[in-house]
Amino acid sequence: MIDKIQQCEKNVLSFIFDDNKNTVEKFRLDFLSKKGEVSLLFDSFKLLPPVDKKKYGEMLNDLKKLTLDTVTNNHSKNQQQQGYNKKLFPTYQNNPGSLHPIRIVEEKISSIFLSLGFDYAEAIEIEDDHHNFSALNFKEDHPARDMQDTFFIGLNMLRTHTSSVQIRELKKGVLPLRIIMPGRVYRNEDISARSNCFFHQLEGLYVDKKVTFADLKQTLFYFVQQFFGEGTKVRFRASYFPFTEPSAEMDIWAGIDTEENKKLTKGTGWLEILGCGMIHPNVLTACNIDSNVYNGFAFGMGIDRIAMLKYKIHDIRDMFTNDTRLLSQFTGV
Ligand code: PHE
């Protein structure tokens, strides 16, 4: 077996490619097709006893990699000579790409809520005043509208939060309702290492009869234990949002044991990760739901912040420069 592998490696290395496409094709046929040398070696490998498999497995895999690299390099050399600019398509080279850190974190958060029985919903990013503000109990001229600097597009706007999706889902009138709504949001803010003019949120909504604040706390507590690890401490601070009453912000304990954590938490050890509260009755009424019968809770968290915390990314802008050297480092949570 060892002789055969070495012989095949020699054949691969001594194969002469010229400028035309046919030699690449011939190489493929000689080595990688069903009856090609490499494939036949893999066939005989399958029949080996387990001890030998261990011995030869690695060698065979190296041989396969060498063969694939050889064909890919020569293929792209050919393409270049034919005037094809491979730089435009860097990921076509042997590289299947990887998930964006925002996507990885969003999927992980979603999977926790889906396991609790939440459904999934999405909606449009260009919104009207009704869905982004009015139906969420932001009164005309109320200073709360200034909490979220808005990009306007004529009479419409880029949504400033995923809470607009709450309205779209509530108006469908199917109750009880338990959903998460991830998506991109936009705010006309100064761009810095900590904040960007667009970012990502994941909204949660639970409407039923006799929902309590304890239900909200327990749901979020469960999420934190699953995502950040068992024993992660949380605290709730009273806050204000027009669409929830009472409202709170939830912090997790990140610690002050490292310089980095001190900086991240401004010396307190606590890191704010979401806003939440019991749905304001005016929101239910605006969606034609009887607030004497139904109530519920809502929460909204920033995904970018959590991704930065998880992956120790110091500058939010780094995630959106499309630099594959950075992006290909993130493979899981
Ligand atoms: N929409 C709020 C924000 O963007 C977050 C939030 C969602 C607060 C749901 C309470 C309930 O800051």
Side-chain angles (χ1 to χ4, degrees), residues 148 160-161 163 166 187 201 203 241 243-244 275-277 298-300:
Q148 304 181 349
T160 56
H161 51 183
S163 302
Q166 286 190 31
R187 291 195 198 166
Q201 290 188 327
E203 191 92 4
F241 301 101
F243 38 94
T244 47
C276 60
F299 58 85

Side-chain angles (χ1 to χ4, degrees), residues 136 138 147-148 160-164 166 185 187 199 201-204 240-241 243-244 247-249 272 274-278 297-301:
L136 285 160
F138 284 82
M147 281 163 70
Q148 304 181 349
T160 56
H161 51 183
T162 42
S163 302
S164 55
Q166 286 190 31
V185 303
R187 291 195 198 166
F199 53 98
Q201 290 188 327
L202 187 135
E203 191 92 4
Y240 171 78
F241 301 101
F243 38 94
T244 47
S247 303
E249 276 166 303
E272 183 213 316
L274 58 82
C276 60
M278 302 305 289
F297 65 69
F299 58 85
M301 64 184 91

